């Protein structure tokens, strides 16, 4: 039997399965009980303290990423409580996908990654949370002006939940930045719609005065039933 076929047959037993299109492989959650939310919450204080990350922030990220489901798998292949990509986990020495379904392991790696992002972005919670969702490369390339709707919604949700969890770091500036970026995104969408649907000929309309030159002064132009418009479209070619 060809070696490639043997490897493909072994994949389901290695914690992976193919999705319906047969072209991507996604991790498979173990057939075992998963910890309850209360059990997960009980693990967080020790792990957060060990990494020097606020418990309130770790809990907010867990809530946004998996809603405390240790067996969660995203359509992109992110795994577990803090939705870690296997490649990211490998950077922290975890090369086993199955290990990421272990709640404590997932929390340790995710909190360590979150701490590194906080350090990189000088404890700017907004940028760190954006980078956790969209990736550092996107944040750096855009000079922290990420306009992905998913990332903006995610960042806002995490920061608001962080405050509800009792977090003390200032978040007002970051939330204002999210709103501003959402406005930039809307403006960009409006420009694209105008470019697509607006008749370019409307941008070159010409007008001509209807009154003699002295009457063009607003001070001399008296409105009333008999008043004429000061300008009208010039339809001549």
């Amino acid at each position: 039997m060809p070696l490639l076929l043997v490897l493909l047959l072994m994949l389901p037993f290695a914690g992976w399965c193919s999705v319906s299109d047969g072209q991507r492989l996604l991790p498979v959650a173990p057939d075992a009980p998963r910890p309850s939310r209360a059990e997960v919450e009980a693990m967080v204080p020790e792990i957060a303290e060990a990494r020097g990350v606020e418990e309130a922030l770790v809990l907010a990220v867990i809530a946004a990423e998996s809603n405390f489901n240790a067996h969660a798998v995203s359509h992109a292949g992110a795994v577990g409580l803090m939705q870690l990509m296997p490649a990211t986990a490998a950077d922290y020495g975890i090369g086993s996908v199955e290990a990421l379904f272990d709640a404590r392991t997932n929390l340790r790696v995710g909190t360590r990654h979150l701490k590194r992002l906080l350090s990189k972005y000088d404890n700017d919670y907004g940028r760190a949370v954006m980078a956790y969702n969209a990736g550092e490369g996107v944040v750096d390339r855009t000079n922290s002006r990420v306009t992905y709707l998913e990332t903006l919604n995610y960042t806002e949700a995490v920061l608001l939940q962080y405050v509800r969890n009792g977090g003390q770091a200032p978040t007002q500036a970051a939330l204002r930045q999210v709103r501003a970026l959402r406005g930039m995104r809307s403006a960009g969408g409006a420009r694209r719609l105008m470019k697509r649907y607006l008749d370019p000929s409307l941008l070159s309309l010409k007008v001509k005065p209807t009154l003699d030159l002295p009457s063009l002064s607003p001070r001399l132009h008296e409105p009333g039933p008999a008043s004429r418009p000061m300008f009208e479209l010039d339809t001549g070619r």
Side-chain angles (χ1 to χ4, degrees), residues 89-231:
D91 290 340
Y92 297 97
I94 304 297
S96 165
V97 175
E98 291 90 336
L100 295 179
F101 287 108
D102 175 73
R104 193 172 291 276
T105 299
N106 194 288
L107 290 174
R108 285 173 176 163
V109 177
T111 303
R112 185 178 174 187
H113 182 53
L114 190 56
K115 174 62 176 180
R116 191 179 69 76
L117 293 175
L118 287 167
S119 298
K120 175 177 178 176
Y121 295 112
D122 298 321
N123 284 320
D124 183 328
Y125 279 38
R127 288 196 292 166
V129 171
M130 277 188 175
Y132 195 97
N133 178 261
E136 299 165 69
V138 175
V139 173
D140 295 342
R141 284 195 305 273
T142 61
N143 194 26
S144 304
R145 292 183 174 88
V146 182
T147 55
Y148 298 157
L149 182 59
E150 175 190 342
T151 299
L152 295 176
N153 291 342
Y154 172 90
T155 303
E156 184 173 47
V158 169
L159 293 179
L160 291 175
Q161 185 61 50
Y162 163 75
V163 173
R164 287 193 290 268
N165 290 344
Q168 297 300 310
T171 58
Q172 294 86 352
L175 288 169
R176 285 196 299 271
Q177 175 75 350
V178 167
R179 288 192 287 271
L181 290 169
R182 193 175 276 124
M184 288 174 56
R185 185 178 186 278
S186 299
R191 285 193 296 270
R192 287 191 293 272
L193 285 174
M194 287 180 65
K195 183 176 180 181
R196 182 173 181 180
Y197 295 112
L198 185 63
D199 183 354
S201 66
L202 296 177
L203 301 178
S204 59
L205 294 176
K206 296 181 180 180
V207 296
K208 61 181 181 180
T210 61
L211 307 174
D212 56 21
L213 192 58
S215 300
L216 290 179
S217 170
R219 293 185 294 105
L220 300 176
H221 182 65
E222 296 181 2
S227 175
R228 297 175 60 194
M230 296 179 67
F231 297 92

